[in-house]
Amino acid sequence: MNRIPMLAAGHATVDFYQGAVPALVPFLVAGRGYGYVAVSGIVLAATLLSSIVQPIFGVLTDKWRMPWLIPVSMILAGTGVAVCGVSDSYALTWLAAALSGLGVAAYHPESARLARIASEGSHVRMSWFSTGGTLGFASAPVLVTPLLAGWGLGASPLLVLPAVLGAIVTLPAIRALAGSAGTARAAGPGSGRDDWPSFVRLTLVIVFRSVVYVGLSAFVALYMGGGAAGAVALFVLFAGGAVGTVAGGRTAARLGRVRTMRLSYALAVPAVAGVVLVPGPAAYVFVAASSIALYAPFSLHVTLGQDFLPTRVGTASGVTLGLAVSVGGLAGPLVGAVAEAASLRTALACLIAFPVLALLMARTIKEPAPAAA
């Protein structure tokens, strides 16, 4: 039985909480008077701890089976976001966001390993697993904005419910695949030779991609006017990612992963520029185009990383899904500082450089031979 849909549902649950943090930003600005630097610090809190510890979880999952970590991490991610809205203290809000980031960090390495087993080497199946996470992102503003608009930040404890439901839905797949994962580990590490130079270059590509995407997710709602207009912008940004992820998997089946990655970043450059330079409702089109272009190579990053490090699949997953993605949040306060010193438009204009850097680095990467799952 194909377990990918169940794993995709779990991925959607965890990444819902990554999307929930940017969705909280307008309410924190309106309800507590936080400035750009303060709210970017909240986004940073959700990514900083994740950036630091996610590779550690990857190393651990290379050595031991830890399927129990998947449902536990979901609950941690949900609890952190739930607490963000009920604490008037900035320090406690920051710590709650960090707790959510810890849950996200703990989830991805083991889930990516199980998804690799379930996908049986199919780029399309892995793209559906990644799409689950993207749909979780997309659903965050749709659920968070009406809830908090109607009931205020005090209603945030209700946001723990998706974590509970996600854990319940995912448990059957975890139990079924844990045995397969154990058998695979019992046979020893994957065959092949680790290509660290290529993996480092891939990591830099993902870091550049992360900076521009996290910058957009943190500030595009405010840039488009906040309120309903901002919620629509976030939804378009996150939903476009689902389209891009599936399209990337299918395109890679024809063109190859590296060529698809290069094409995606080439298209991302004018798309991000359009968000900043095109006025009015037409900017939503470029928000969607940016999301599609930035997410098309997302699942490909994961399988490329695993094939570059075939004996360290957990480590590769922790970096490609965790450290390199989350580290973009470290640039959030810098974007906020530029916004306060100049303007939000100027700050977002700075992001245009990063898909250019990703494209240049992607041109130095060659397609690896697929490693055994």
Side-chain angles (χ1 to χ4, degrees):
M1 180 179 177
N2 185 6
R3 307 290 178 178
I4 287 292
M6 294 181 186
L7 293 175
H11 199 184
T13 298
V14 168
D15 282 4
F16 166 82
Y17 293 107
Q18 291 198 77
V21 174
L24 283 170
V25 164
F27 296 95
L28 294 174
V29 171
R32 299 181 184 172
Y34 291 165
Y36 289 138
V37 173
V39 293
S40 62
I42 298 296
V43 176
L44 172 64
T47 58
L48 177 62
L49 190 59
S50 179
S51 298
I52 295 172
V53 304
Q54 195 149 192
I56 298 175
F57 282 111
V59 172
L60 292 176
T61 57
D62 277 332
K63 295 183 177 181
W64 298 290
R65 286 194 302 126
M66 303 175 72
W68 55 269
L69 197 57
I70 295 177
V72 170
S73 64
M74 291 181 183
I75 300 301
L76 284 177
T79 301
V81 168
V83 172
C84 278
V86 296
S87 171
D88 291 332
S89 165
Y90 181 83
L92 291 179
T93 302
W94 196 96
L95 289 172
L99 176 65
S100 182
L102 176 63
V104 172
Y107 171 84
H108 282 105
E110 183 69 6
S111 67
R113 180 191 293 279
L114 295 184
R116 183 177 177 87
I117 295 170
S119 68
E120 299 177 336
S122 168
H123 299 321
V124 175
R125 287 187 181 181
M126 278 299 290
S127 73
W128 281 112
F129 169 70
S130 297
T131 299
T134 310
L135 291 175
F137 265 117
S139 65
V142 176
L143 297 177
V144 172
T145 300
L147 175 68
L148 300 188
W151 299 90
L153 286 169
S156 64
L158 294 174
L159 295 174
V160 77
L161 294 178
V164 176
L165 293 175
I168 293 173
V169 169
T170 309
L171 277 175
I174 296 172
R175 290 173 178 170
L177 291 169
S180 299
T183 301
R185 288 192 185 93
S191 60
R193 184 176 181 180
D194 292 336
D195 183 355
W196 281 102
S198 294
F199 183 76
V200 169
R201 289 194 291 270
L202 176 67
T203 300
L204 289 174
V205 169
I206 304 171
V207 168
F208 295 144
R209 179 254 180 209
S210 177
V211 171
V212 62
Y213 190 80
V214 172
L216 287 175
S217 65
F219 294 106
V220 73
L222 293 173
Y223 183 70
M224 298 301 290
V232 171
L234 275 180
F235 175 76
V236 169
L237 182 71
F238 296 158
V243 176
T245 304
V246 175
R250 295 188 179 277
T251 304
R254 288 187 169 190
L255 301 181
R257 291 171 292 180
V258 172
R259 290 181 64 189
T260 300
M261 180 172 62
R262 293 172 181 170
L263 176 62
S264 299
Y265 289 119
L267 295 174
V269 177
V272 175
V275 174
V276 181
L277 301 176
V278 176
Y284 288 109
V285 176
F286 288 95
V287 171
S290 297
S291 181
I292 292 171
L294 291 170
Y295 257 100
F298 186 71
S299 66
L300 310 180
H301 293 156
V302 180
T303 59
L304 281 169
Q306 292 172 338
D307 288 343
F308 283 138
L309 300 184
T311 70
R312 294 175 173 84
V313 171
T315 300
S317 302
V319 173
T320 55
L321 277 172
L323 174 63
V325 175
S326 302
V327 77
L330 300 177
L334 296 178
V335 177
V338 173
E340 291 191 347
S343 69
L344 188 53
R345 184 179 187 184
T346 300
L348 293 181
C350 295
L351 299 178
I352 300 172
F354 289 93
V356 176
L357 294 172
L359 173 61
L360 294 175
M361 186 59 64
R363 292 181 64 84
T364 70
I365 298 174
K366 296 182 179 180
E367 187 81 31

